[in-house]
Amino acid sequence: MTTTSGTTDSLAVAQRSLGDSAVRYPLWPPLTSGCPKTSTEDVAYPAEVDYAYDRVPAGFFDQRLPHTGHERWAPLLPPLLAPGLGEGGTPLVELEPGVYVKDESRNPTWSHKDRLNRCTVSAALGAGAPGVVVASSGNHGASAAAFAARAGLRCVVLADPGVPPAMDAFLRAYGAVVLPVPKAARWPLTRRIAERFGLHPVSNMTRTHTGHAFGAEGYKTVAYEIHAELGVPAAVFVPTGYGELLFGIGKGFAELRRLGVTDRVPPLIACEPAAGGPLAAALDRGLPATRVEVGATGADGIACAVSGYRGVLAVRDSGGRSMLLTDECLRAAQAELARAGMWAELSAAAGLAGLRSCAVGEFDGPVVCVSTSSGFKGRGVGEDRSEPVPPEWEAVRARLRAAGLDD
Amino acid sequence: MTTTSGTTDSLAVAQRSLGDSAVRYPLWPPLTSGCPKTSTEDVAYPAEVDYAYDRVPAGFFDQRLPHTGHERWAPLLPPLLAPGLGEGGTPLVELEPGVYVKDESRNPTWSHKDRLNRCTVSAALGAGAPGVVVASSGNHGASAAAFAARAGLRCVVLADPGVPPAMDAFLRAYGAVVLPVPKAARWPLTRRIAERFGLHPVSNMTRTHTGHAFGAEGYKTVAYEIHAELGVPAAVFVPTGYGELLFGIGKGFAELRRLGVTDRVPPLIACEPAAGGPLAAALDRGLPATRVEVGATGADGIACAVSGYRGVLAVRDSGGRSMLLTDECLRAAQAELARAGMWAELSAAAGLAGLRSCAVGEFDGPVVCVSTSSGFKGRGVGEDRSEPVPPEWEAVRARLRAAGLDD
């Protein structure tokens, strides 16, 4: 079960720069604007958390424990000061032999973001902040609002005025203050609200993406869980926006190798919408991070104009690559997931879309496609209705026959 | 992980009437209209599944297995012929010391109904039907559609024309044929479609509620899971519509007692909306099932005009009782869940509403409130929007101060 108090048996010892791992900081206060020492005018470098890996108990990964959320992995996470909601522990659903979907819609607020926000809200609590502020028009904002509410903290969400109707209700559901503001104003306002109101920022505030130093650590548990069921897969396909999920999964597998539990890491395939794709552009141009114009796409959750260095590291260190997926390709993958009983938002289908764009037989062994979130969150949901049918038998029969059913 | 094929290592041996346990039927074909022999003009008696309990392996309930959905409990379920989606395995979230929420929104289609539909769609497959038909304006319909899609079966949903917008999209998401028809026409049309099109009915078709003989068996896993984490709680509060969930949980605990794993069962508290409450009325009048007028309520998911005998049995055999909750009381519980990080639809909050309507200290030991589904499914979701704020600092500051935040 998950309890109302957090747990503190973390082996986290310090923060360090992803720009230069020799640049270290104390664990507290959490770095919420990346690494100030290594960041330049052009590129902000994120920070990460380091652990006393030599103190991880023997057999730690072998234990079969009941599902208890992040607590299961507390030693390798930042201190879990905020109470949990049973985040993580999501199933691997087989799509066909050797192809698995990691269904992240099974989290407390029905997206992967809960793994991150258990960590960021814990950071806010540890930092003594009265609440959190987050720029998000979706999963991140609602998830932060839920964990903040559970921890007794306030939450302010800077949202896009064009957020889909059901998502708008979702953002407000946990008592957050939701402020729809133009997209360009969100990051500067996050910083100003953080500074003036003392709220802890749990999303990005820098020119290229850095986010919160503790957040991506929560995604390592995706790797731990996949490994517990499948070992090291032949590849992991990850819907990619700012690259935090990608990085966290990569770091989790890298830790398993470092601790001698496995001897290799899977290639991580970053799956971005073709309408944007700043990570693909950064990799192409050999840059740590870059900016692109974002065209029209329905994949709102991962349609980002800037990337962060985490994405480049994750692809490079895993021997992976990045892929750009058209909306047509994303819709086909979304439809395939629905036919398999999983209703995913368009962004969430990017992992499977990536796999379906690869040559058949390219991977020797099981592959995992992460599906990040539920279909309730998509654009257009709630905007059209089913057409009523008169209850007379002939009308009903005609509709069923038109749908291809035979009487 | 969950695989694309089902499992058949079930110990199910027969069906039997809940009206008279001496009246038995072969396991196949599944009874979809209750027990024809014991049902009368006034009351239709449901059927249930019987098992070879003497063949349950020793230590069966002690095994710590990874989360794999119903497979974990296959011997005590009907044959799981349809592939699963990792249903069940939901967390117990502590609200306060000794008060736990069983968060059923963590299922594949985000409600408890997935536990039922893994069983009913398996029955359809076993019966050789080309698809299923279901009368539902919500969770049951979408869940049936998802499992049917995964099994390669068609699905027809007879829905209420007034279904909330996000729910309408949800019902259509898995490729089901959705027919909005007047409520009074739903059960007769279910029967006619089943007869004429050969579709397997997975919801009710009888005058008082019977439903599918295999369906409620899937809810037993809620009891198994609660027991694995907490032992036998002091009470379980269950949102109650037709009483299938209530019955399944009660049967699960009764089996644990029968198999010598525990020595008692928890009292089950049936929580119905005060606007309806046919189970409370049946208990009051000493009837196996009855009918009431349903007034206005936002608790659509459990606002039922008729009850079924399952509910009476579950309350009586567990030494429980029934409670009627006003919408005001349901809304307060819904708000309490949201403050704890769980966005539940109004019906889903009925369990907690029941507990909060009891005297403090009435129960000696931990209590569990089942929360059946997510807030996305509620009426009104997607119908109003957050008010945009100009991005100028003074406007933002004013909104935050108005919300009680201090700079």
Side-chain angles (χ1 to χ4, degrees):
Chain A
M1 70 208 71
T2 69
T3 63
T4 48
S5 57
T7 166
T8 54
D9 54 351
S10 168
L11 296 174
V13 290
Q15 295 175 93
R16 70 178 169 199
S17 173
L18 288 178
D20 176 352
S21 63
V23 175
R24 294 173 69 88
Y25 299 87
L27 188 62
W28 299 97
L31 294 169
T32 57
S33 285
C35 168
K37 287 180 200 160
T38 51
S39 295
T40 66
E41 185 80 358
D42 290 334
V43 176
Y45 284 95
E48 66 169 342
V49 175
D50 193 18
Y51 302 84
Y53 288 107
D54 55 333
R55 290 175 48 211
V56 175
F60 175 68
F61 287 98
D62 300 332
Q63 300 170 80
R64 287 258 179 247
L65 299 177
H67 175 58
T68 54
H70 271 1
E71 281 79 356
R72 165 70 182 88
W73 314 106
L76 288 173
L77 293 171
L80 300 172
L81 302 171
L85 288 161
E87 57 284 347
T90 59
L92 275 176
V93 178
E94 191 184 59
L95 215 46
E96 65 191 36
V99 175
Y100 298 90
V101 175
K102 182 72 171 162
D103 182 5
E104 288 290 292
S105 79
R106 308 285 296 278
N107 273 293
T109 70
W110 314 293
S111 92
H112 65 301
K113 292 286 184 183
D114 293 321
R115 298 185 191 257
L116 174 144
N117 281 306
R118 175 83 192 275
C119 299
T120 56
V121 172
S122 288
L125 214 54
V132 299
V133 53
V134 54
S136 161
S137 295
N139 293 318
H140 191 161
S143 170
F147 280 89
R150 173 117 163 110
L153 300 183
R154 299 298 303 267
C155 180
V156 173
V157 183
L158 296 162
D160 191 315
V163 59
M167 196 55 121
D168 193 332
F170 182 37
L171 286 171
R172 284 178 278 121
Y174 304 96
V177 180
V178 180
L179 304 181
V181 296
K183 202 153 186 170
R186 295 196 300 164
W187 292 358
L189 274 177
T190 302
R191 184 176 293 282
R192 197 151 178 186
I193 290 170
E195 287 168 0
R196 301 288 184 87
F197 283 82
L199 300 181
H200 194 74
V202 300
S203 57
N204 187 61
M205 303 189 295
T206 50
R207 177 181 276 272
T208 62
H209 188 274
T210 56
H212 194 290
F214 289 15
E217 301 295 315
Y219 293 135
K220 297 189 305 185
T221 58
V222 175
Y224 305 158
E225 291 171 14
I226 291 172
H227 175 265
E229 289 200 67
L230 285 181
V232 179
V236 183
F237 290 80
V238 185
T240 298
Y242 295 122
E244 291 177 289
L245 176 59
L246 193 74
F247 174 83
I249 294 174
K251 185 170 177 181
F253 277 110
E255 288 176 335
L256 289 164
R257 181 176 57 184
R258 174 186 184 142
L259 291 164
V261 179
T262 70
D263 57 3
R264 61 192 175 87
V265 297
L268 299 186
I269 318 295
C271 301
E272 294 179 289
L279 173 56
L283 289 164
D284 229 34
R285 301 173 197 163
L287 295 172
T290 194
R291 173 178 290 272
V292 295
E293 288 295 313
V294 180
T297 171
D300 309 80
I302 53 173
C304 300
V306 299
S307 61
Y309 189 45
R310 283 192 189 90
V312 169
L313 282 177
V315 168
R316 193 190 69 194
D317 293 352
S318 71
R321 65 178 189 271
S322 88
M323 297 183 74
L324 292 173
L325 290 317
T326 63
D327 274 30
E328 187 186 353
C329 184
L330 295 172
R331 281 192 296 269
Q334 184 183 36
E336 185 182 353
L337 287 170
R339 285 195 302 275
M342 289 171 278
W343 187 32
E345 66 170 303
L346 197 62
S347 301
L352 181 60
L355 174 66
R356 294 310 186 207
S357 302
C358 292
V360 173
E362 179 182 341
F363 299 98
D364 183 22
V367 298
V368 175
C369 302
V370 179
S371 178
T372 44
S373 179
S374 100
F376 275 111
K377 299 165 178 183
R379 199 191 283 175
V381 167
E383 287 174 1
D384 62 338
R385 306 296 299 257
S386 297
E387 198 192 334
V389 63
E392 287 74 38
W393 177 244
E394 282 311 318
V396 168
R397 179 169 177 264
R399 276 280 279 274
L400 293 180
R401 289 177 61 90
L405 287 154
D406 296 322
D407 59 350
Chain B
M1 71 206 71
T2 69
T3 62
T4 47
S5 58
T7 168
T8 53
D9 53 351
S10 168
L11 297 174
V13 289
Q15 297 177 89
R16 68 178 169 200
S17 173
L18 287 179
D20 177 352
S21 62
V23 176
R24 294 172 70 87
Y25 300 87
L27 188 61
W28 299 97
L31 295 169
T32 57
S33 285
C35 168
K37 287 182 202 161
T38 52
S39 295
T40 67
E41 186 80 356
D42 291 335
V43 176
Y45 284 96
E48 66 168 343
V49 176
D50 193 17
Y51 301 83
Y53 288 107
D54 55 334
R55 291 176 47 213
V56 175
F60 175 68
F61 287 98
D62 300 331
Q63 299 170 81
R64 287 256 178 251
L65 299 177
H67 174 58
T68 53
H70 271 2
E71 281 79 355
R72 164 71 182 87
W73 314 106
L76 288 174
L77 293 172
L80 300 172
L81 302 171
L85 289 161
E87 57 284 346
T90 60
L92 276 177
V93 178
E94 191 185 60
L95 259 192
E96 64 191 39
V99 175
Y100 297 89
V101 175
K102 183 73 170 162
D103 182 6
E104 289 290 293
S105 79
R106 308 284 296 277
N107 272 295
T109 71
W110 314 293
S111 91
H112 64 300
K113 292 285 185 183
D114 293 321
R115 298 185 191 258
L116 174 143
N117 281 305
R118 176 83 191 275
C119 298
T120 56
V121 172
S122 289
L125 214 54
V132 300
V133 54
V134 53
S136 161
S137 295
N139 293 318
H140 191 162
S143 170
F147 280 89
R150 174 121 164 107
L153 299 183
R154 298 298 303 264
C155 179
V156 173
V157 183
L158 296 161
D160 191 316
V163 59
M167 197 55 122
D168 193 333
F170 182 38
L171 286 171
R172 285 178 279 121
Y174 304 97
V177 180
V178 180
L179 304 180
V181 296
K183 201 152 187 167
R186 296 196 301 165
W187 292 358
L189 275 177
T190 302
R191 184 177 293 282
R192 197 150 179 189
I193 290 170
E195 287 167 359
R196 301 288 184 90
F197 284 81
L199 300 180
H200 194 74
V202 301
S203 57
N204 187 60
M205 303 188 296
T206 49
R207 178 180 276 274
T208 62
H209 189 274
T210 57
H212 195 290
F214 289 14
E217 301 295 314
Y219 292 135
K220 297 189 303 184
T221 59
V222 175
Y224 305 157
E225 291 171 14
I226 291 172
H227 175 263
E229 289 202 64
L230 286 181
V232 179
V236 182
F237 290 80
V238 185
T240 298
Y242 295 121
E244 290 176 290
L245 176 59
L246 193 74
F247 174 83
I249 295 175
K251 185 169 177 181
F253 278 110
E255 287 176 337
L256 289 164
R257 182 176 56 184
R258 174 186 183 141
L259 291 164
V261 179
T262 69
D263 57 3
R264 62 195 174 84
V265 298
L268 298 187
I269 317 296
C271 302
E272 294 178 291
L279 173 56
L283 289 164
D284 230 34
R285 301 174 199 163
L287 295 172
T290 193
R291 173 176 290 273
V292 295
E293 289 294 314
V294 181
T297 171
D300 310 79
I302 53 173
C304 300
V306 299
S307 61
Y309 189 45
R310 285 193 187 88
V312 168
L313 282 178
V315 168
R316 192 191 69 193
D317 293 352
S318 71
R321 65 178 189 269
S322 88
M323 298 182 73
L324 292 172
L325 290 319
T326 63
D327 274 30
E328 187 185 354
C329 185
L330 295 173
R331 281 192 297 270
Q334 184 183 36
E336 185 182 353
L337 287 171
R339 285 195 302 273
M342 288 170 280
W343 187 32
E345 67 170 301
L346 196 63
S347 301
L352 181 60
L355 173 66
R356 294 310 186 208
S357 302
C358 291
V360 173
E362 178 182 342
F363 299 98
D364 184 21
V367 298
V368 175
C369 303
V370 179
S371 179
T372 44
S373 179
S374 99
F376 275 110
K377 299 166 178 180
R379 197 190 285 176
V381 167
E383 286 175 1
D384 61 340
R385 307 296 301 256
S386 297
E387 198 192 334
V389 61
E392 286 74 38
W393 177 245
E394 281 312 318
V396 169
R397 178 169 177 263
R399 277 279 279 276
L400 295 179
R401 290 176 60 91
L405 287 154
D406 296 321
D407 59 350

